[in-house]
Each structure stands twice: as structure tokens, then as C-alpha cells.
Amino acid sequence: SQQGEEDPQALSIQEGENATMNCSYKTSINNLQWYRQNSGRGLVHLILIRSNEREKHSGRLRVTLDTSKKSSSLLITASRAADTASYFCAPEFSGGGADGLTFGKGTHLIIQP
Amino acid sequence: EAQVTQNPRYLITVTGKKLTVTCSQNMNHEYMSWYRQDPGLGLRQIYYSMNVEVTDKGDVPEGYKVSRKEKRNFPLILESPSPNQTSLYFCASKTAYYGSPLHFGNGTRLTVT
């Protein structure tokens, strides 16, 4: 199935810095969602951006979407230790019907104190 | 409380002994899905269901069965488990509409010896 691919696979930054991770996909989407996974736990929905939106904010999260490049980015500003987690993008494709959200390998983010 | 409940959380079994991992949601969601997560491979979709009595294969369906007799339940059945099915399993649900978020269970860590 089609899915997004996150990049980088791993990212380590100092607390207080900003973290940026990217997602690429291959076909037309209806929307793209970002999820967070704390170690071994179920994924938690963070933010949704629709195909007709270019940028969206939620607290310290900023998501951008460039449908011409088929890519999205997630920016976490002023990172905290609690942001240490894996982050996944999930493009929802325009195939008609909710036939599923699939995930890639994620970006593992480590925030150093 | 709205939730997806998976049981058991941990399971150790032997090769060939049939097992069922249960999944139940109390949000009246149409869509339910099973994923497995393995180191370096990300989350891979096993099976999904868009509604009662409607199930479809995901990316890695071999060795698994599912059923959707009721809207709230979506059990994952391993008829003859093998060691390569040792993994962390997640059940998730959402409404049928584009853009609705997936709600995940807490996971089932399965070890097949």
C-alpha cells in the first residue's frame, strides 16, 4: 500500500531547540495526519492538514504541506524532554473511501536535557 | 471514556498454538485496523475493516485472520503462530470520514517461541 516516508529516521537535539521532520508521499492526498508514539505505546493523533491548506498550527506544532512537491513537514518549537518520541505521518489518499491510514518507519526524536 | 481496548497486553505462546487478540472500541467507529510494529520496519497494516462484515487485507496479512461480526469488535486470530509473528500489535479505529483521526489501543506484545 501507499504510505508516507519520514525523514530523518532519527534526530537528536538539545532541549529548547526546534525539531523539524519531513514526510514525502507519492500520490494525491485528501489530507495528511501526524502522530506521536511514546516508547511502546499506541500512536496518538497530533494534527491534521487538509490538501487545500498550506500551513497549520497547534500549540508548539507547526505543519506545512506542499502538494506540488508531495511533502509535509512537522516543526516542534522550543522542544522539551517530553517531546522525545517517534513521529509518524499518515497521508490519507484520495482513492475514495476510508480504506486505511498506513504508516512508515517514523522519525525517532530524542531531546537531550 | 472513549477508547480502544486490546487484550491481552502481553502474551507468550508456543509455535502452532492458536490464539486470539481481542480489540473493542466504544466510539461507534466504522473503520478498524490491525498493525504490527517491528524494529526497523515501522508500523505495517495487517487487516482492516470498513464496517461490519467487510474486511480487507493490508500489507502483511499472511498468517492472520480477522472477523467483524459486530461493529465494536475486531479480533485478530493467529491460527498457527510462528516465531516470525513475534511483534508488537496495535488495533485502531476511526470513523469512515476522511480526516478523522485514528484511535489506537495500548498494544499487545506477542512472543512466539
Side-chain angles (χ1 to χ4, degrees):
Chain A
S1 68
Q2 305 167 92
Q3 62 207 32
E5 288 188 19
E6 298 87 354
D7 176 71
Q9 288 192 25
L11 179 61
S12 180
I13 62 172
Q14 295 294 125
E15 194 166 17
E17 294 180 338
N18 296 341
T20 299
M21 54 207 87
N22 304 296
C23 171
S24 60
Y25 56 91
K26 291 185 178 169
T27 60
S28 296
I29 62 170
N30 177 279
N31 65 81
L32 187 140
Q33 302 177 31
W34 285 91
Y35 289 77
R36 182 186 72 227
Q37 182 185 32
N38 292 99
S39 181
R41 309 289 293 184
L43 278 66
V44 174
H45 181 261
L46 290 177
I47 193 167
L48 160 81
I49 187 164
R50 298 192 185 279
S51 59
N52 61 353
E53 297 174 312
R54 292 295 166 259
E55 188 171 312
K56 202 158 180 185
H57 296 254
S58 176
R60 293 185 296 112
L61 303 180
R62 174 179 163 243
V63 171
T64 62
L65 179 64
D66 186 335
T67 52
S68 67
K69 294 182 179 176
K70 293 185 171 58
S71 67
S72 172
S73 67
L74 172 67
L75 168 68
I76 303 173
T77 60
S79 63
R80 305 168 182 169
D83 295 327
T84 293
S86 292
Y87 293 82
F88 295 84
C89 69
E92 194 160 24
F93 295 100
S94 305
D99 60 348
L101 283 171
T102 55
F103 300 86
K105 298 178 183 179
T107 291
H108 184 48
L109 175 65
I110 297 173
I111 308 299
Q112 309 272 10
Chain B
E1 181 191 350
Q3 59 186 2
V4 177
T5 303
Q6 286 180 237
N7 279 298
R9 286 294 312 276
Y10 300 92
L11 180 57
I12 301 174
T13 190
V14 296
T15 299
K17 186 175 181 183
K18 181 179 178 180
L19 66 91
T20 299
V21 184
T22 63
C23 175
S24 180
Q25 50 93 5
N26 62 1
M27 295 168 279
N28 201 36
H29 286 165
E30 292 83 10
Y31 176 88
M32 297 184 75
S33 184
W34 276 102
Y35 302 87
R36 62 176 288 175
Q37 186 173 30
D38 302 287
L41 296 177
L43 264 85
R44 293 180 292 168
Q45 189 178 49
I46 303 171
Y47 270 96
Y48 63 94
S49 168
M50 292 178 66
N51 216 323
V52 176
E53 302 292 1
V54 180
T55 62
D56 279 292
K57 295 177 181 179
D59 293 319
V60 288
E62 295 78 20
Y64 304 95
K65 282 176 57 176
V66 293
S67 68
R68 188 91 183 271
K69 295 187 172 69
E70 305 165 284
K71 199 170 187 179
R72 63 183 293 126
N73 295 324
F74 191 45
L76 180 69
I77 303 155
L78 285 72
E79 295 262 356
S80 183
S82 63
N84 65 12
Q85 292 178 298
T86 291
S87 187
L88 179 57
Y89 291 85
F90 290 103
C91 179
S93 72
K94 67 190 282 294
T95 74
Y97 299 105
Y98 279 122
S100 70
L102 268 172
H103 297 257
F104 280 78
N106 282 329
T108 295
R109 191 169 291 279
L110 172 65
T111 302
V112 184
T113 61

